[in-house]
Amino acid sequence: MSEAQMSEDDADLAAAAAAAVVNIRTTTDYLSPYPDQVLENVLENVLIFLTSRRDRNAVSLVCKSWYRAEALTRSELYIGNCYSVSPRRATDRFKRVRSVVLKGKPRFADFSLMPPDWGAHFEPWVMEMINAYCGLEKLYLKRMSVTDDDLSVMAHSFVNFKELVLVCCEGFGTTGLAVVASKCKQLQVFDLIEAEVSDDEVDWLSCFPESGTCLESLIFDCVECPINFEALENIVAKSPALKKLRVNRYVTLDQLHRLMVRAPQLTHLGTGSFSPSENPAEPEPDLVSAFAACRSLVCLSGFRETVPDYLPAVYPVCANITSLNFSYANITAAELKPVIRNCHKLQIFWVLDSICDEGLQAVAATCKDLRELRVFPLDASEVNDGPVSDVGLQAISEGCKKLQSILYFCQQMTNAAVISMSTNCPDLEVFRLCIIGRYRPDRSTGEPMDEGFGAIVKNCKKLTRLAVSGLLTDRAFSYIGQYGKLVRTLSFAFAGDSDMGLKYVLEGCSKLEKLEIRDCPFGDEALRSGLHHYHNMRFLWMSTCRVTSQGCREIAQQVPRVIVEVFRWNQSIQEGENSDLVDTLYLYRSLEGPRADAPKFVNIL
Amino acid sequence: MESIRIEETGLNLEATELRLGLPGRDKIEKETISSFNKNKRAAPKSAEDDESKANDDIKHHHHEAAPAAKAQVIGWPPIRSYRKNNFAPKKAEAEYGNYVKVSMDGAPYLRKIDLKVYNGYTDLLKALENMFKLSIGEYSEREGYKGSEHAPTYEDKDGDLMLVGDVPWDMFMSTCKRLRIMKGSEARGLGCAV
C-alpha cells in the first residue's frame, strides 16, 4: 500500500457530492454548513458498498477527505505481507475493521526453502487487534506462525468472532483448537487448510458446546491426529446450519456414513480416509443412499486412503458436482473413468498422475466446463518417464477449452502440447507447468521449451500467473518480458543462461508483483535492472542464484522503503569467489524499517 | 556435447558445488543415477552458444551435481512437504511391502523376500548369498556373473527371464515378479550369451 498523495480539492467535490446526495438524504438534519461534514457523510454511505480493496485504494488517493472517509468505512483489511506495515500503523488508519486477511511467509517456504524460525508471527498482530478491533468477526491467516497462546488470546477477546480460516499456518496444536472451540460461541466457520497442527492429544472436538453450534463450515482434513468420533457426530447432528464438512483421514467409511445421514444438507464434503475400518463388524453401510440423499453436494474431496471398490458410492452426486479433489487418491484410469464420465458440470479437478494420460483423456472427453485442473505427482523423483506427459496436456487442451488455471506435474513435455494449450484455451489466467526432470528439453524435438512458454505468454491474453520449467534459454525470458504485460506472479527454477534472462523480465513485465527464483544463473547486473520496479512489487525471492552481498547491499541503499533480507544457510562456503554469493535473497516493500524479530541467520541490509 | 566431455576429463566440480540445505536436515529427493545419465543423452541438439565460460560452468555444476551425489535437491519438485509426507500408498503395498518369491535350483522349498528393505543390488545379492549359503560373484554388463556357479535371475512382468543387475534398481523393483537363482551349466550359458 503506497502512501496517499494528498491534494486539496474539497470545494469541487463537495458540490458534486451534494448533487448526488439528493436521493439519499431527505431530512434537513444533514444539511450542515460544513461541506467537509456533508461530504464525509455522503462518502461513508456510498463507500460502504465499495468492497474491492483495489478500488478502495484508488478512492483513498483522491484527497484527504476521501482518504478519511474511506479509512472509516473499510471493513475488510487485507495485508499481503505482514512485514509491509506494522500492526499499529494499520489499526491507526483503519478503525472500524471487522475482517482481517493477513499473509506472512512467501510461497517458497512451503518447499523447505526457508529456515523454520524466520518469522511471520501472528502475536504482535493479535495483541494490537484486541485493543483496536474488539468487534472483530473474521480472521484469515496464510503462512503465518500462530501459537496456541495467540489462539487463546483471540478466542477470549473477540466476543463477536465468527470465522477463522488458517491456511498453511503452523506453530499451534490441538490445544489451541480446543480453546477456540470452547470460547467462540458464535463461531460459524472453522477452517484449517493445509495447516500443520501438532498433536497435543487434546480432544478439541469435545470442546464445542454439546447442545449444538452455529457452525456452517468445519474443515479439518489436514489435522493429522485421531479424533473423538462421537464428539464429531454430535456436532454434526446438532449444527443445522452446517454446509461444509471436511473430515480427516481418521474417519472411516462407516463413520462417514453416520455423519452423512445426519447432514444431507451438505454442499461441501471431505470424505476422510474413504476406506473401511479394521473390523467392519456391522453390515456394510449403504453409502450409495447416503450420497444420493445429499442433493446439494457440489464439492467433494478427501479420499485419503481410498479403497477403489467403494468409489461407485459417489455416482449419485457426480452429475451435480462442480469441484472434485482426488489428489490423495491413488487410482488408475480404469477406476477414474466410471466416476468422471458423469461429471459434466465439473469445474475444478485436482488429481494424482496415477490416472495417467488415459485418465486425462477421459476428463477431457466429459468435463467441458473445466476451469481449474491440478495434476500432482504420485512419485516426486526425477525419472525418465512418468504416467502423464504431453499426451495428457494435449488432450486437456482440446477438450477443456474454458480452462482458466492449470498446475501440471510431469516428467516429459513437448512444445507442441504447450502451444496447443495456448491456442485452445484463451481464458487461461494461471499456467504452471512443472517438468520434474530439471533442464529437460522437448522430448520429441530435443529443443528447449522456449517456444512453448513463449506461446503461452503471447496467446493467453489474460495470463496473470506463470511458472516455468524444463530446459529454458534466455529467449524464453525475452518472450515473457515482451508479452507478459499482465503477469503478476512468476516462478523460475533451474532456467535461463545469463543475466539477460532476468533483465528481460524485470524490464518488460510492468505489472509484476511477486517474483520467485531458485537455481538460475542471474547475478547482480540482473538485479540492478529491477531498481525502478521493486517498490511496486510485493516481493522478490532469489535463492541459489549468482547474486552477491554487494549486489544486495546496492539495492538496499538505492531503493527506498524496501527491505532486503539475506540468509546464508551453508556456513561452510568460505573460499574463492563463491564466498560472496548469497544463498537466499528476500526483498519486499515496507513502510516500516527492518523488523525487530529477525532471527540471527537473517541479515537485513 | 560439452557437458559429457568435461565429465570424462574428470574436472572435479563437486568440490566447488553450491548446495542448498541446513545442517542436519534430511529431506531427500531420490534420484537414480541411470535416469540422470539418460538425461545427459537427451541433452539438446541445438547448439547453445554459451555467452561465457562462467555460464558453462554453472550449467555443468548443475549437470554434475546430481549423478555425483544422488543429488538431494531441497524443495524440488515444488510440492508441499505436507503432500509428500501424508501420502498413503495403496493399502496393499503399504501393508505388505514388495514381496517376491525366491527359488534356488535344487533347493526343496522357496523363500520370500521384501525387495523394499534393500538399498540396491549389492545389498540384495549379499542377502541372497547369506540366505542360501552360496556366493554369486561379480556382476559385469558384458559377462554377467563371473567366478561363480550361480547366477541370479528374475522373471519380469512380461514373463521373461532376466539377469539381475541389467536395469536400474528402481525399475527392477517395480518389474520383478519372482527371483530364481540358477545353477551350474544353465547359469554359465546365460552369462556367456550376453
Side-chain angles (χ1 to χ4, degrees), chain A residues 396-428:
Chain A
I396 294 289
S397 74
E398 289 166 7
C400 308
K401 307 252 165 112
K402 295 190 190 170
L403 202 64
Q404 292 171 357
S405 167
I406 182 163
L407 170 62
Y408 196 88
F409 284 87
C410 59
Q411 298 285 351
Q412 299 283 2
M413 185 49 59
T414 61
N415 282 306
V418 177
I419 292 171
S420 168
M421 176 151 280
S422 78
T423 51
N424 281 322
C425 306
D427 291 337
L428 263 185

Short mmCIF file of all heavy atoms in Angstrom, two decimals, chain A residues 396-428:
data_model
loop_
_atom_site.label_atom_id
_atom_site.label_comp_id
_atom_site.label_asym_id
_atom_site.label_seq_id
_atom_site.Cartn_x
_atom_site.Cartn_y
_atom_site.Cartn_z
N ILE A 396 -6.26 -32.45 -22.77
CA ILE A 396 -6.98 -31.47 -21.96
C ILE A 396 -7.17 -30.18 -22.76
O ILE A 396 -8.24 -29.56 -22.74
CB ILE A 396 -6.22 -31.17 -20.65
CG1 ILE A 396 -6.20 -32.39 -19.74
CG2 ILE A 396 -6.81 -29.98 -19.92
CD1 ILE A 396 -7.53 -32.74 -19.12
N SER A 397 -6.14 -29.78 -23.49
CA SER A 397 -6.25 -28.53 -24.23
C SER A 397 -7.34 -28.62 -25.29
O SER A 397 -8.03 -27.64 -25.58
CB SER A 397 -4.92 -28.15 -24.87
OG SER A 397 -4.66 -28.98 -25.98
N GLU A 398 -7.52 -29.81 -25.85
CA GLU A 398 -8.52 -29.95 -26.90
C GLU A 398 -9.92 -30.12 -26.35
O GLU A 398 -10.90 -29.75 -26.99
CB GLU A 398 -8.17 -31.14 -27.80
CG GLU A 398 -6.96 -30.87 -28.67
CD GLU A 398 -6.40 -32.15 -29.30
OE1 GLU A 398 -7.05 -33.21 -29.16
OE2 GLU A 398 -5.32 -32.07 -29.91
N GLY A 399 -10.02 -30.69 -25.14
CA GLY A 399 -11.35 -30.96 -24.59
C GLY A 399 -11.88 -29.89 -23.67
O GLY A 399 -13.08 -29.68 -23.59
N CYS A 400 -10.99 -29.21 -22.98
CA CYS A 400 -11.44 -28.28 -21.94
C CYS A 400 -11.10 -26.86 -22.34
O CYS A 400 -10.16 -26.25 -21.81
CB CYS A 400 -10.79 -28.63 -20.60
SG CYS A 400 -11.01 -30.36 -20.15
N LYS A 401 -11.86 -26.32 -23.25
CA LYS A 401 -11.49 -25.03 -23.82
C LYS A 401 -11.73 -23.85 -22.88
O LYS A 401 -11.25 -22.75 -23.15
CB LYS A 401 -12.27 -24.78 -25.12
CG LYS A 401 -12.15 -25.92 -26.12
CD LYS A 401 -11.30 -25.53 -27.30
CE LYS A 401 -10.87 -26.71 -28.13
NZ LYS A 401 -11.44 -26.79 -29.45
N LYS A 402 -12.46 -24.08 -21.81
CA LYS A 402 -12.73 -22.97 -20.90
C LYS A 402 -11.72 -22.90 -19.77
O LYS A 402 -11.90 -22.15 -18.82
CB LYS A 402 -14.12 -23.13 -20.29
CG LYS A 402 -15.24 -23.04 -21.29
CD LYS A 402 -16.56 -22.97 -20.57
CE LYS A 402 -17.72 -23.13 -21.52
NZ LYS A 402 -18.98 -23.30 -20.80
N LEU A 403 -10.66 -23.68 -19.89
CA LEU A 403 -9.69 -23.76 -18.80
C LEU A 403 -9.12 -22.40 -18.45
O LEU A 403 -8.70 -21.64 -19.33
CB LEU A 403 -8.57 -24.71 -19.21
CG LEU A 403 -7.76 -25.32 -18.09
CD1 LEU A 403 -8.65 -26.21 -17.23
CD2 LEU A 403 -6.60 -26.13 -18.64
N GLN A 404 -9.08 -22.11 -17.12
CA GLN A 404 -8.53 -20.83 -16.66
C GLN A 404 -7.24 -21.01 -15.88
O GLN A 404 -6.41 -20.12 -15.81
CB GLN A 404 -9.53 -20.11 -15.76
CG GLN A 404 -10.78 -19.65 -16.48
CD GLN A 404 -11.84 -19.15 -15.52
OE1 GLN A 404 -11.68 -19.20 -14.31
NE2 GLN A 404 -12.93 -18.67 -16.07
N SER A 405 -7.12 -22.19 -15.24
CA SER A 405 -5.97 -22.35 -14.36
C SER A 405 -5.48 -23.78 -14.42
O SER A 405 -6.28 -24.71 -14.33
CB SER A 405 -6.42 -21.99 -12.93
OG SER A 405 -5.45 -22.40 -12.00
N ILE A 406 -4.17 -23.98 -14.58
CA ILE A 406 -3.65 -25.33 -14.61
C ILE A 406 -2.32 -25.42 -13.87
O ILE A 406 -1.47 -24.54 -13.96
CB ILE A 406 -3.51 -25.85 -16.06
CG1 ILE A 406 -2.99 -27.30 -16.05
CG2 ILE A 406 -2.57 -24.98 -16.89
CD1 ILE A 406 -3.19 -28.04 -17.35
N LEU A 407 -2.21 -26.51 -13.10
CA LEU A 407 -0.94 -26.86 -12.44
C LEU A 407 -0.68 -28.30 -12.84
O LEU A 407 -1.49 -29.17 -12.58
CB LEU A 407 -1.06 -26.75 -10.92
CG LEU A 407 0.11 -27.32 -10.10
CD1 LEU A 407 1.41 -26.61 -10.40
CD2 LEU A 407 -0.19 -27.23 -8.61
N TYR A 408 0.45 -28.54 -13.52
CA TYR A 408 0.65 -29.86 -14.14
C TYR A 408 2.07 -30.33 -13.85
O TYR A 408 3.04 -29.71 -14.28
CB TYR A 408 0.44 -29.70 -15.65
CG TYR A 408 0.24 -30.97 -16.44
CD1 TYR A 408 -1.03 -31.50 -16.60
CD2 TYR A 408 1.30 -31.59 -17.08
CE1 TYR A 408 -1.24 -32.63 -17.37
CE2 TYR A 408 1.11 -32.72 -17.85
CZ TYR A 408 -0.17 -33.24 -18.01
OH TYR A 408 -0.38 -34.37 -18.77
N PHE A 409 2.18 -31.45 -13.13
CA PHE A 409 3.48 -32.05 -12.88
C PHE A 409 3.68 -33.21 -13.84
O PHE A 409 2.77 -34.03 -14.00
CB PHE A 409 3.57 -32.59 -11.45
CG PHE A 409 3.76 -31.53 -10.40
CD1 PHE A 409 2.65 -30.88 -9.85
CD2 PHE A 409 5.00 -31.18 -9.94
CE1 PHE A 409 2.79 -29.91 -8.88
CE2 PHE A 409 5.17 -30.20 -8.96
CZ PHE A 409 4.07 -29.56 -8.44
N CYS A 410 4.85 -33.30 -14.46
CA CYS A 410 5.10 -34.41 -15.39
C CYS A 410 6.59 -34.62 -15.48
O CYS A 410 7.37 -33.84 -14.94
CB CYS A 410 4.52 -34.10 -16.76
SG CYS A 410 5.21 -32.59 -17.48
N GLN A 411 6.98 -35.70 -16.19
CA GLN A 411 8.41 -35.92 -16.36
C GLN A 411 8.88 -35.45 -17.74
O GLN A 411 10.03 -35.10 -17.92
CB GLN A 411 8.73 -37.42 -16.20
CG GLN A 411 8.42 -38.00 -14.83
CD GLN A 411 9.43 -37.59 -13.75
OE1 GLN A 411 10.47 -37.00 -14.04
NE2 GLN A 411 9.10 -37.87 -12.50
N GLN A 412 7.97 -35.52 -18.71
CA GLN A 412 8.33 -35.15 -20.07
C GLN A 412 7.25 -34.27 -20.68
O GLN A 412 6.07 -34.46 -20.41
CB GLN A 412 8.45 -36.42 -20.95
CG GLN A 412 9.52 -37.40 -20.50
CD GLN A 412 10.92 -36.95 -20.86
OE1 GLN A 412 11.12 -35.88 -21.43
NE2 GLN A 412 11.89 -37.77 -20.52
N MET A 413 7.70 -33.35 -21.56
CA MET A 413 6.73 -32.44 -22.20
C MET A 413 7.24 -32.07 -23.58
O MET A 413 8.43 -32.21 -23.87
CB MET A 413 6.56 -31.19 -21.31
CG MET A 413 5.51 -30.20 -21.74
SD MET A 413 3.87 -30.86 -22.13
CE MET A 413 3.40 -31.64 -20.61
N THR A 414 6.33 -31.58 -24.40
CA THR A 414 6.74 -31.09 -25.72
C THR A 414 6.25 -29.66 -25.88
O THR A 414 5.24 -29.26 -25.28
CB THR A 414 6.12 -31.92 -26.85
OG1 THR A 414 4.70 -31.81 -26.76
CG2 THR A 414 6.53 -33.37 -26.78
N ASN A 415 6.93 -28.90 -26.72
CA ASN A 415 6.47 -27.54 -27.02
C ASN A 415 5.12 -27.59 -27.70
O ASN A 415 4.25 -26.76 -27.45
CB ASN A 415 7.48 -26.84 -27.93
CG ASN A 415 8.69 -26.34 -27.16
OD1 ASN A 415 8.56 -25.62 -26.17
ND2 ASN A 415 9.88 -26.74 -27.58
N ALA A 416 4.94 -28.59 -28.55
CA ALA A 416 3.69 -28.66 -29.31
C ALA A 416 2.47 -28.72 -28.40
O ALA A 416 1.46 -28.04 -28.66
CB ALA A 416 3.72 -29.88 -30.23
N ALA A 417 2.55 -29.50 -27.34
CA ALA A 417 1.40 -29.62 -26.44
C ALA A 417 1.14 -28.30 -25.73
O ALA A 417 -0.01 -27.87 -25.57
CB ALA A 417 1.63 -30.73 -25.42
N VAL A 418 2.20 -27.63 -25.33
CA VAL A 418 2.04 -26.36 -24.63
C VAL A 418 1.48 -25.30 -25.58
O VAL A 418 0.58 -24.53 -25.23
CB VAL A 418 3.39 -25.89 -24.03
CG1 VAL A 418 3.24 -24.55 -23.35
CG2 VAL A 418 3.92 -26.92 -23.04
N ILE A 419 1.98 -25.31 -26.81
CA ILE A 419 1.47 -24.36 -27.80
C ILE A 419 -0.01 -24.64 -28.06
O ILE A 419 -0.82 -23.72 -28.17
CB ILE A 419 2.28 -24.46 -29.11
CG1 ILE A 419 3.70 -23.96 -28.87
CG2 ILE A 419 1.62 -23.65 -30.22
CD1 ILE A 419 4.66 -24.19 -30.02
N SER A 420 -0.35 -25.93 -28.13
CA SER A 420 -1.74 -26.30 -28.35
C SER A 420 -2.62 -25.72 -27.24
O SER A 420 -3.71 -25.19 -27.49
CB SER A 420 -1.85 -27.82 -28.40
OG SER A 420 -3.18 -28.21 -28.32
N MET A 421 -2.15 -25.82 -26.00
CA MET A 421 -2.95 -25.28 -24.90
C MET A 421 -3.07 -23.76 -25.03
O MET A 421 -4.12 -23.18 -24.75
CB MET A 421 -2.32 -25.65 -23.55
CG MET A 421 -3.07 -25.04 -22.39
SD MET A 421 -2.97 -25.99 -20.87
CE MET A 421 -4.19 -27.25 -21.14
N SER A 422 -2.01 -23.11 -25.49
CA SER A 422 -2.05 -21.65 -25.58
C SER A 422 -3.09 -21.19 -26.61
O SER A 422 -3.70 -20.14 -26.46
CB SER A 422 -0.68 -21.09 -25.94
OG SER A 422 -0.40 -21.25 -27.32
N THR A 423 -3.29 -21.99 -27.65
CA THR A 423 -4.25 -21.56 -28.67
C THR A 423 -5.66 -22.05 -28.39
O THR A 423 -6.64 -21.38 -28.73
CB THR A 423 -3.84 -22.04 -30.08
OG1 THR A 423 -3.58 -23.45 -30.01
CG2 THR A 423 -2.58 -21.34 -30.56
N ASN A 424 -5.77 -23.20 -27.73
CA ASN A 424 -7.11 -23.74 -27.47
C ASN A 424 -7.78 -23.14 -26.25
O ASN A 424 -9.01 -23.19 -26.14
CB ASN A 424 -7.03 -25.26 -27.26
CG ASN A 424 -6.92 -26.01 -28.57
OD1 ASN A 424 -7.54 -25.62 -29.54
ND2 ASN A 424 -6.13 -27.06 -28.59
N CYS A 425 -6.99 -22.63 -25.31
CA CYS A 425 -7.56 -22.17 -24.05
C CYS A 425 -7.28 -20.68 -23.85
O CYS A 425 -6.39 -20.30 -23.09
CB CYS A 425 -6.98 -22.95 -22.87
SG CYS A 425 -7.16 -24.74 -23.06
N PRO A 426 -8.03 -19.84 -24.52
CA PRO A 426 -7.75 -18.40 -24.48
C PRO A 426 -8.04 -17.76 -23.13
O PRO A 426 -7.57 -16.65 -22.86
CB PRO A 426 -8.69 -17.83 -25.55
CG PRO A 426 -9.79 -18.83 -25.65
CD PRO A 426 -9.19 -20.16 -25.35
N ASP A 427 -8.80 -18.46 -22.28
CA ASP A 427 -9.14 -17.89 -20.98
C ASP A 427 -8.11 -18.14 -19.90
O ASP A 427 -8.31 -17.77 -18.76
CB ASP A 427 -10.48 -18.45 -20.49
CG ASP A 427 -11.64 -17.97 -21.33
OD1 ASP A 427 -11.50 -16.90 -21.97
OD2 ASP A 427 -12.68 -18.65 -21.37
N LEU A 428 -7.01 -18.79 -20.26
CA LEU A 428 -6.00 -19.14 -19.26
C LEU A 428 -5.47 -17.93 -18.52
O LEU A 428 -4.98 -16.98 -19.13
CB LEU A 428 -4.82 -19.86 -19.91
CG LEU A 428 -4.79 -21.38 -19.89
CD1 LEU A 428 -3.48 -21.86 -20.47
CD2 LEU A 428 -4.95 -21.92 -18.48
#
